[in-house]
Amino acid sequence: MLRWFKNKKQKKASPPYTNEQWVELLAPPADDRAVKELRKFLIRGLKPALAKYVDRELEQFVEDTAQDGLLKILDNIHSFRGESKLTTWAMKIAVREGLTELRRKKWNDISIDDLRGPNADSSDGSGEIFSDTFASNDASPEQTVAQKMIKEKVEGIIQNVLTEKQRTAITGIMIHGLPVTVVADKMGTNRNNLYKLVHDARKKIKNEFEIQGIDPEEMLNELSEK
Amino acid sequence: MTTNTLKKIFRAVINTHDNEIGCAKCCDEIEEFIELELAGKSPEEAYPLVQEHLNKCGDCREEYEALLNALKATA
């Protein structure tokens, strides 16, 4: 009787659906028509949103992303809190699916050793964990010397104050400019935990700057001077 | 380490606060944030910590921008 009533209600609902209708229609067993509607909606949004990140076979990538997103949406429909439109929540999930996949593909060849750097395990405090060189701007000789000193201090702090995990994360995100998602994958953690790890690392560096009397605002100005 | 990397580190340190939110919390609140924006309101006033996180986290910012584009295209 209850099932009959539910089926009857589902047949009556027609798009555009309210949040309550969406949740009811997408809860198991999901209503085919609602799933098709949502899929169409996701594809319509994903195509322009992902176009600049995909250099070929955009249509296929969008189709696959919409499909993967839909599966995730259906699996998590019970967790929708109703504080936004369901379609906004659903699009967020699909966009994240697409961008996460693209980041993983793009940075697939990077290994954890690349993030640690060639001398990450050295304990000589040389600070040679960074492979890129210090590129001076049009500074005067005095400024160049000052900039070199700043660089050595910062490298020393990163080398001596941070844990190896924090160093790896900072190197990956701030020095190599990798996405948080990718560094988290390589380090066997998730994005949220990695952000917290980096936040703790930033706080440690800030604290060490205070101990050593380094004013980051002043340093920033020093580096920006020509 | 390049000058730009050093600048990035100094800026990151200057903008480091105790009450920052992580990616999970930002992701939880981004749809409300974005709906306010689409309604022409000021989401940064209602969700200042989300705005701050978006300023700092490249992944979340990229997802926010893509979501905004997607929703504008379906409006």
Side-chain angles (χ1 to χ4, degrees), chain A residues 49-50 52-54 61 65 92-110 177-186 191, chain B residues 23 27 53-54 57-67:
Chain A
L50 300 180
K52 72 172 178 179
Y53 302 102
V54 183
F61 184 76
T65 301
K92 173 189 76 175
I93 292 174
V95 162
R96 275 171 68 94
E97 280 291 301
L99 287 177
T100 300
E101 177 66 14
L102 286 167
R103 289 175 190 135
R104 286 180 176 146
K105 271 187 189 163
K106 184 175 176 182
W107 301 102
N108 192 33
D109 295 337
I110 291 271
L178 296 175
V180 183
T181 311
V182 171
V183 179
D185 279 355
K186 305 291 175 192
R191 197 162 126 186
Chain B
C23 299
C27 181
H53 184 84
L54 292 176
C57 178
D59 288 28
C60 287
R61 190 168 56 248
E62 194 173 54
E63 286 165 13
Y64 152 77
E65 284 166 2
L67 179 57

Side-chain angles (χ1 to χ4, degrees), chain A residues 19-122:
Chain A
N19 274 359
E20 291 72 21
Q21 286 169 330
W22 271 121
V23 170
E24 192 177 328
L25 292 168
L26 296 176
D31 176 79
D32 286 348
R33 185 180 172 199
V35 172
K36 277 183 192 157
E37 280 292 328
L38 187 56
R39 192 167 182 281
K40 215 164 67 182
F41 171 79
L42 295 178
I43 288 173
R44 201 148 45 96
L46 287 173
K47 213 179 282 182
L50 300 180
K52 72 172 178 179
Y53 302 102
V54 183
D55 48 9
R56 59 194 170 96
E57 297 178 16
L58 174 66
E59 299 273 336
Q60 188 57 52
F61 184 76
V62 165
E63 292 271 339
D64 293 346
T65 301
Q67 191 56 34
D68 292 344
L70 260 180
L71 292 176
K72 208 161 194 177
I73 291 159
L74 294 176
D75 278 351
N76 291 285
I77 191 68
H78 59 279
S79 70
F80 173 61
R81 292 178 291 127
E83 288 174 15
S84 67
K85 288 181 190 167
L86 182 129
T87 46
T88 304
W89 173 79
M91 190 66 87
K92 173 189 76 175
I93 292 174
V95 162
R96 275 171 68 94
E97 280 291 301
L99 287 177
T100 300
E101 177 66 14
L102 286 167
R103 289 175 190 135
R104 286 180 176 146
K105 271 187 189 163
K106 184 175 176 182
W107 301 102
N108 192 33
D109 295 337
I110 291 271
S111 78
I112 189 81
D113 292 330
D114 294 327
L115 304 185
R116 288 194 184 119
N119 300 311
D121 295 327
S122 71

